[in-house]
């Protein structure tokens, strides 16, 4: 069985366009966390698009753990690390996560192309 990190990295291989992220100098944030109820969480997440754009999110993608569908992995692309840090520290995001039923603190991983 692959570790969750290996699953997330494998998913990135299939999700990211081959000419976008790696070539343009942006960074990718992988946020993973459990949710109480995926349907409830997804409704709140989908209603958060304006806040994402205002917070500097350029692109986003949601993935779910195969063995635990209430474990989500959210990929967000930003122009730089300070923009990502500001977004994830936002009180608006923190309140939205609480309303959505996030069941534990997120694990945040920030990566960029290794070219």
């Amino acid at each position: 069985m692959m570790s969750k990190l290996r699953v997330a990295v494998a998913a990135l291989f299939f999700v990211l366009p081959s000419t976008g992220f790696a070539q343009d100098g942006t960074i990718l944030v992988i946020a993973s966390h459990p949710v109480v109820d995926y349907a409830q969480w997804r409704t709140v997440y989908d209603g958060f698009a304006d806040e994402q754009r205002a917070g500097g999110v350029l692109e986003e993608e949601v993935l779910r753990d195969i063995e635990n569908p209430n474990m989500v992995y959210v990929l967000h692309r930003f122009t730089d690390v300070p923009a990502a840090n500001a977004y994830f520290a936002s009180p608006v995001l923190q309140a939205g996560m609480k309303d959505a039923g996030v069941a534990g603190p997120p694990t945040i991983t920030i990566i960029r192309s290794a070219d």
Side-chain angles (χ1 to χ4, degrees):
M1 176 170 55
M2 289 197 302
S3 72
K4 290 182 181 187
L5 178 58
R6 287 180 57 200
V7 170
V9 171
L12 289 174
F13 177 77
F14 293 106
V15 173
L16 294 174
S18 62
T19 58
F21 165 73
Q23 303 301 318
D24 64 9
T26 60
I27 59 126
L28 184 72
V29 177
I30 304 168
S32 61
H33 54 73
V35 298
V36 174
D37 177 88
Y38 177 78
Q40 172 193 341
W41 175 85
R42 188 62 195 236
T43 298
V44 174
Y45 180 85
D46 288 344
F48 217 71
D50 290 341
E51 286 82 358
Q52 286 180 354
R53 280 191 296 282
V57 176
L58 303 172
E59 292 182 44
E60 55 81 27
E61 179 75 26
V62 174
L63 300 116
R64 293 170 77 182
D65 189 290
I66 291 171
E67 295 176 9
N68 177 4
N70 283 329
M71 183 67 175
V72 296
Y73 297 82
V74 182
L75 312 178
H76 288 115
R77 188 166 67 106
F78 291 89
T79 55
D80 54 39
V81 173
N85 286 336
Y87 177 75
F88 284 100
S90 161
V92 173
L93 176 63
Q94 300 304 313
M97 291 174 64
K98 184 177 178 182
D99 291 344
V102 172
T107 298
I108 307 290
T109 304
I110 301 174
I111 58 176
R112 95 171 47 226
S113 174
D115 46 52

